[in-house]
Amino acid sequence: TPSPGCSNAPSEGELGYGLRPGKFTNFRRELLNTQRRTHRLHLPDNYNDDAPPPLMMYFHGWGGNHDSCGDTCSVTALEKGFVVVTMSGYGRSNWGSWKIGGSADSPGPLGPI
């Protein structure tokens, strides 16, 4: 059962507003008024507001960014009907990390997302 709000279309100004199936949008977030990072939201061709699809979130390895996933995110996951969100870690340019101070540790089962 989808959580409340899953089937609500975004309002103007919200992430995903106006995004059509098969398209993506890059969005930016700022950390502590110091760092800005670009992330990406991509909808599959078969996206339907009436049936919330599965979500795949991609967290790159050390030094990567939201473009590092390649065909796994931009082709394969979309063909399987996933909404894909690819993230860019924070840190100095080309040193994207999932810990603010910089680390090779990965988010997920062993750490917070």
Side-chain angles (χ1 to χ4, degrees), residues 31-32 34-35 37 39 59-64 87-113:
L31 178 68
L32 304 174
T34 61
Q35 297 182 41
R37 289 294 178 256
H39 312 294
F59 296 89
H60 61 78
W62 182 260
M87 311 294 288
S88 292
Y90 291 91
R92 286 184 260 164
S93 181
N94 298 322
W95 292 96
S97 170
W98 300 108
K99 287 191 171 183
I100 305 303
S103 169
D105 290 347
S106 174
L110 300 176
I113 292 180

Side-chain angles (χ1 to χ4, degrees), residues 4 17-18 23 25 28 30 32-33 51 59 61 63 71 101 110:
Y17 178 77
K23 303 295 181 187
T25 185
R28 295 180 63 105
E30 188 172 310
L32 304 174
N33 298 318
F59 296 89
D71 285 351
L110 300 176

